Amino acid sequence: MDMKKRVSLELRHRSPTEVTELVLDNCRSGEGKIEGITEEFSNLELLSLINVGLTSVADVPKLDKLKKLELSDNRISGGLEVLAERLVSLTHLNLSGNKFKDISTLEPLKKLPQLKSLDLFNCEVTNLADYRDSIFKLLPQLIYLDGYDIDDCEASDSDGEGDGVDDEEEGESEDFEEEEEEDEEDVVAEEEDDDDDSADDEDGEVNGDVDSEDDDEDEDDEDDDDEDSSPVKGEKRKRDPEDEDEDEEDD
């Protein structure tokens, strides 16, 4: 899909001024240039153009609020002056997997006073001797290079993202906390249900024991009744012959 069409799809019936994040990864740029992105995206804070076949950033528009620019896995080798001129609020720049060979090609980034994170993974420039020291010296405003500060301390997730992304992460963390609270409530409710079921089972067991005792007593009562009635039957069987004899004498 070409970049212009992808931009149109990403708008989703919104106006460019309503868009704060625009992700166009893996689409195709015409002639290696940026297309379809204009100054109308005045509130854009994040722009991602990963693996879109760029060879130049000359056509990037003026975006005063843009803080994070993802340009990894393209074929850019220079021309960064335009970024310093048009993206004055840029704080995070990812140039990993591009064609930068010399430290001098990165010198225009000195004009980005708010730039605090720069990524150059898999660029030839990283193979130079004293690469890290040279970059930190060239860009004194920089805090993190390839995810590590000058003392080789790794950047935290919050430090490694732009302000707009931070806000998004904070929102996600709040949602996660709410979900955790809901899960805890569900667990409590389930435990209460289990307790109620256990109580019912215990009641059933107690009642079952009582019922079984009552059944035993009933059986004992029946046995007693049988014992009481059995002699009477025996007496009747004993008196029967006498009654017959008396009847014969009467005759």
Side-chain angles (χ1 to χ4, degrees):
M1 182 184 296
D2 65 66
M3 189 176 293
K4 285 184 178 180
K5 186 175 181 180
R6 179 69 176 275
V7 170
S8 178
L9 289 175
E10 291 293 330
L11 282 174
R12 300 171 186 171
H13 307 294
R14 296 174 296 173
S15 68
T17 56
E18 296 178 84
V19 180
T20 58
E21 297 185 3
L22 188 59
V23 179
L24 306 174
D25 300 346
N26 303 312
C27 66
R28 291 295 93 189
S29 63
E31 300 180 355
K33 298 179 180 180
I34 296 173
E35 299 177 310
I37 305 172
T38 67
E39 294 183 7
E40 292 180 352
F41 288 86
S42 56
N43 292 311
L44 198 62
E45 296 181 3
L46 182 151
L47 176 59
S48 186
L49 297 168
I50 298 173
N51 188 33
V52 297
L54 289 180
T55 58
S56 170
V57 290
D59 293 325
V60 66
K62 184 175 176 59
L63 301 170
D64 291 336
K65 293 186 179 180
L66 191 70
K67 296 179 179 179
K68 183 172 182 179
L69 179 60
E70 292 278 351
L71 294 172
S72 58
D73 299 326
N74 286 289
R75 300 192 301 274
I76 304 166
S77 59
L80 300 182
E81 295 85 0
V82 66
L83 301 184
E85 295 171 2
R86 302 176 186 176
L87 307 178
V88 295
S89 298
L90 201 63
T91 61
H92 292 69
L93 177 60
N94 191 339
L95 296 173
S96 302
N98 280 278
K99 304 296 182 179
F100 295 97
K101 299 179 180 180
D102 303 316
I103 297 292
S104 60
T105 58
L106 303 170
E107 190 169 352
L109 299 180
K110 291 193 298 184
K111 297 180 181 180
L112 288 170
Q114 299 186 55
L115 186 66
K116 66 177 183 179
S117 177
L118 175 65
D119 288 324
L120 293 165
F121 290 115
N122 296 325
C123 292
E124 291 185 40
V125 67
T126 61
N127 297 322
L128 298 176
D130 299 325
Y131 152 71
R132 287 182 58 82
D133 292 338
S134 299
I135 295 294
F136 277 116
K137 184 177 180 180
L138 176 69
L139 306 173
Q141 78 275 34
L142 206 62
I143 298 176
Y144 298 106
L145 176 62
D146 301 332
Y148 291 84
D149 65 14
I150 196 170
D151 297 320
D152 287 332
C153 294
E154 188 174 5
S156 64
D157 291 339
S158 59
D159 289 332
E161 301 293 342
D163 294 340
V165 178
D166 287 343
D167 294 339
E168 181 182 351
E169 290 180 347
E170 289 175 1
E172 290 177 353
S173 64
E174 290 175 359
D175 293 339
F176 183 73
E177 290 175 358
E178 291 178 359
E179 290 177 0
E180 283 188 329
E181 291 177 357
E182 291 176 359
D183 291 342
E184 290 177 358
E185 291 176 358
D186 292 340
V187 170
V188 172
E190 289 177 1
E191 290 178 350
E192 290 178 353
D193 290 340
D194 292 339
D195 292 340
D196 293 340
D197 293 340
S198 300
D200 292 341
D201 293 340
E202 291 177 358
D203 291 342
E205 292 177 358
V206 173
N207 291 336
D209 293 340
V210 174
D211 291 343
S212 61
E213 292 177 359
D214 291 342
D215 292 341
D216 293 339
E217 292 178 358
D218 292 341
E219 291 177 0
D220 293 340
D221 292 342
E222 290 177 0
D223 292 340
D224 293 341
D225 292 341
D226 291 341
E227 291 177 358
D228 293 341
S229 60
S230 58
V232 174
K233 291 181 180 178
E235 290 176 3
K236 285 183 179 180
R237 285 196 295 272
K238 289 178 182 178
R239 283 199 297 269
D240 287 343
E242 294 177 359
D243 293 341
E244 291 177 358
D245 293 338
E246 290 178 358
D247 291 341
E248 289 177 1
E249 291 177 0
D250 292 339
D251 294 340

